[in-house]
Amino acid sequence: MTNSFQNVTTNALPTVGKLSIISMKGCEQFTQKIDNYLKSMRNDDVETYVTHVTCPRFGTGEGKCVIDETVRGHDVYIICDCFNYGVTYKMYGFDNHMSPDDHYQDLKRVIAAMGGKARRVTVVMMMLYEGRQHRRSGRESLDAAIMLQELIQMGVANVITFDAHDPRISNAIPLAGFDDVQPTYQMIKAIAHAVPDIKLNKFDTIVISPDDGGMARCMYYSSVLKLDLGMFYKRRDYSRIENGKNPIVAHEYLGRDVKDKDVIIVDDMISSGESMIDVATKLKNQGAKRIFVFATFGLFVNGLEVFDEAFEDGIIDKVFTTNLNYKHPGLETREWYYEVDMSKYVSLLINTLNHDDTISHLLDPVNKIQNLVAKLGN
């Protein structure tokens, strides 16, 4: 890894405290990967950095947390995926899938079980809980802000999340640590591996934002790759509400001609996927050559069939999502899917922070991206 020099430098620094990693339910496999990377980076002969906890449930559905080892004086990192609906528990004899609210409540139980004895607590919350409810547009709750404030009041020092729907939510906790991490380098590395003939230059490829809210994200890709940039804006029907929001009437394109160009559509998440398919269809009708999708979180809340159809119809060629959230069953068997592994990156963040070193080079990997593009020779 090109970070070998950085690891040597970092590992020479004293640690904040003994490193402990806690995996919330559903994150065990991802946490195991982090543990393996950390053991290969560090030379302290530790069998595992994972601290075992359990969050059992009573028959009524009530729960608690039990920490099986001491965390007194430790630098604790809690790995949490609030959107893992694959985890179930018994309630009055029924199997219940854990909701984001259930996962968040278990996270608070873990923090409470420490009793303030850890030296520092960092929550690595892959996808920000209630991140889509990040601002008020009427008389409604501001759930993401309340969640962050609750965690800080409970003694959490830092929150690390990935591709927040709106990073300005950090204003809710201005005196605490909040890092919004982007998987930009990992995405570019993935497409270079999965699509060897991709030409990352402005003559052959263009970056598209599916809506105005994702423009900042796409501007970064456009700037570091020196590609042209386009965007769609959502025309909504404000006279009615469906599923809690004003329905989209149409997607309108603003930008350069996409004819005979490869297109990279970048967004923070794929929810149902309908908007993404609509945008891709419009681009294909305008003559786009191949369409690739970068989405940090692949939720696929309505199933995979819509993407199966789009792939068969030649609308979408490849979808890249990270392993930061629970994968829909059957996703990795799809020909159109490519998983972007983030476990090594997260282990580098944890190792660096545990030594109280700067993570600036990890948060903004411009040089690594430019070196990668130079190797591609296009």
Side-chain angles (χ1 to χ4, degrees), residues 247-318:
I248 298 168
V249 176
H251 289 92
E252 305 289 352
Y253 178 65
L254 299 172
R256 291 182 179 274
D257 188 10
V258 299
K259 185 173 173 54
D260 297 327
K261 287 188 177 184
D262 286 335
V263 175
I264 301 175
I265 305 174
V266 184
D267 208 354
D268 59 335
M269 72 177 76
I270 295 172
S271 184
S272 67
E274 292 175 1
S275 293
M276 190 69 73
I277 299 297
D278 188 32
V279 164
T281 302
K282 281 182 164 51
L283 291 169
K284 208 69 178 178
N285 291 339
Q286 292 180 32
K289 182 181 174 185
R290 294 179 295 183
I291 295 180
F292 307 104
V293 176
F294 287 178
T296 306
F297 305 105
L299 304 179
F300 303 103
V301 297
N302 290 343
L304 306 175
E305 290 73 20
V306 64
F307 280 89
D308 290 337
E309 269 183 52
F311 178 69
E312 289 169 9
D313 294 342
I315 295 171
I316 283 180
D317 292 83
K318 212 79 174 173

Side-chain angles (χ1 to χ4, degrees), residues 34-146:
I34 294 173
D35 191 38
N36 291 337
Y37 276 121
L38 286 169
K39 286 186 287 188
S40 68
M41 291 175 193
R42 300 160 71 113
N43 301 313
D44 43 12
D45 298 321
V46 172
E47 184 178 344
T48 181
Y49 294 101
V50 179
T51 296
H52 187 256
V53 305
T54 54
C55 291
R57 296 270 175 165
F58 300 102
T60 56
E62 298 166 289
K64 66 176 181 179
C65 173
V66 179
I67 301 179
D68 298 325
E69 306 163 41
T70 181
V71 292
R72 186 181 293 274
H74 290 201
D75 187 19
V76 180
Y77 294 81
I78 306 174
I79 311 297
C80 178
D81 174 16
C82 288
F83 296 84
N84 190 329
Y85 63 92
V87 181
T88 61
Y89 64 92
K90 289 282 186 182
M91 179 176 173
Y92 291 97
F94 294 98
D95 282 326
N96 276 13
H97 288 268
M98 286 188 70
S99 70
D101 292 344
D102 290 323
H103 282 291
Y104 176 55
Q105 197 64 29
D106 271 359
L107 171 62
K108 291 197 290 183
R109 290 183 177 114
V110 170
I111 298 167
M114 294 181 199
K117 300 301 188 293
R119 178 162 297 175
R120 185 175 68 179
V121 178
T122 299
V123 172
V124 183
M125 186 178 285
M126 316 296 203
M127 183 175 171
L128 197 66
Y129 170 74
E130 293 290 357
R132 297 167 83 177
Q133 187 54 28
H134 61 283
R135 64 182 177 186
R136 277 202 178 107
S137 56
R139 190 175 291 114
E140 58 186 19
S141 57
L142 196 56
D143 295 41
I146 292 171

Side-chain angles (χ1 to χ4, degrees), residues 158-175:
N158 304 296
V159 175
I160 298 174
T161 193
F162 292 81
D163 211 346
H165 199 61
D166 189 334
R168 289 174 296 184
I169 194 63
S170 63
N171 292 336
I173 49 170
L175 301 181

